[in-house]
Amino acid sequence: MARSFFERDPVTVARALLGQRLVRVLDGQRLSGVIVETEAYLGVEDKAAHTFGGRRTARNASMWLTGGHAYVYFTYGMHYCLNVVAGREGEPVAVLVRAIEPVEGLNVMRSLRVARRRTGAKLADRELASGPARLCQAMGIDRGLDGVDLTRGNGMFIEQVRKRTLPAGAIAVGPRIGVDYAGEWAKKPLRFWVRGNGHVSK
DNA sequence: ATGACGATTTACT
DNA sequence: GTAAATCGTCATA
């Protein structure tokens, strides 16, 4: 996907990413899935965003890069989450990728996920990447990928599946998850998912 | 140097 | 439905 796809406002990018494919090349092997759930983070004005109020730290530095870079952060002492940076350089907005529908490398994903659990019960396909931290586990994404240029085609990138954004009727909209601390901003309709898709987080 | 806190997931009641 | 797991990060002092 070209730079121009990402250098747009985060809501537009969040919607346009639905139905496109996230690809991770791990040890020469392709792991991939169709993006089915995203959230837009609007930057300095957005109380739920890591860059709220213009915060610029070592942790969120890549959010300030131009659209098309990855912002990977560590949270809750054990989880990573992946964002696709949107907008222009110096405009710290991003899209959190919350779920994908696995397409390639399901067995590798399963073993990466199972390695982190106590019980050995087998995971259904729907449990592999239906959540922002699950997706990172399944694809072997950690801080080593923070700041990676997703337009470069190595390590991790977005592959174009469709030219146009899904029709509005195929996209469901709701408030973002896990940001209750953000007051009014917690209620804004900034979460997007493919209507009826079974791989969306619960 | 310290303390409070997560853009979550899992296990257990 | 409730709670534990687990630690980097950042604001405060």
Side-chain angles (χ1 to χ4, degrees):
Chain A
M1 204 75 88
R3 180 78 61 203
S4 57
F5 175 87
F6 303 103
E7 289 182 326
R8 297 182 287 172
D9 74 89
V11 169
T12 298
V13 176
R15 302 183 77 112
L17 278 170
L18 296 176
Q20 309 293 1
R21 185 179 296 186
L22 172 67
V23 182
R24 166 92 169 108
V25 180
L26 190 62
D27 301 325
Q29 243 238 355
R30 271 175 65 106
L31 307 179
S32 78
V34 175
I35 297 171
V36 297
E37 182 182 359
T38 59
E39 283 179 0
Y41 285 83
L42 277 41
V44 297
E45 57 172 348
D46 181 356
K47 198 172 179 194
H50 290 165
T51 50
F52 173 65
R55 283 206 313 274
R56 188 171 194 162
T57 65
R59 180 206 199 197
N60 69 19
S62 52
M63 243 185 108
W64 293 81
L65 298 172
T66 200
H69 287 83
Y71 166 44
V72 180
Y73 67 88
F74 181 68
T75 190
Y76 291 105
M78 65 187 95
H79 296 304
Y80 295 96
C81 294
L82 168 70
N83 288 257
V84 172
V85 177
R88 300 283 183 150
E89 184 173 0
E91 185 189 355
V93 296
V95 175
L96 174 69
V97 182
R98 288 193 56 90
I100 62 172
E101 176 173 342
V103 174
E104 297 172 275
L106 295 256
N107 292 335
V108 173
M109 292 185 191
R110 215 178 310 277
S111 52
L112 285 170
R113 290 270 290 124
V114 168
R116 293 247 210 150
R117 322 179 101 227
R118 229 185 279 240
T119 62
K122 39 180 158 172
L123 288 168
D125 290 357
R126 308 192 150 196
E127 300 174 285
L128 292 179
S130 52
R134 289 178 169 187
L135 168 174
C136 285
Q137 281 180 32
M139 291 202 141
I141 295 169
D142 60 24
R143 271 233 115 192
L145 286 170
D146 181 54
V148 161
D149 187 347
L150 300 170
T151 69
R152 280 299 179 87
N154 49 347
M156 185 166 63
F157 51 92
I158 311 290
E159 232 170 41
Q160 182 174 273
V161 174
R162 55 180 61 256
K163 290 239 177 184
R164 302 181 63 89
T165 295
L166 286 172
I171 300 177
V173 184
R176 294 174 293 185
I177 304 294
V179 296
D180 290 347
Y181 58 84
E184 289 302 306
W185 282 90
K187 299 173 184 159
K188 296 188 182 286
L190 295 172
R191 172 173 175 245
F192 308 92
W193 67 95
V194 178
R195 189 181 294 283
N197 186 284
H199 296 263
V200 170
S201 68
K202 294 293 182 289

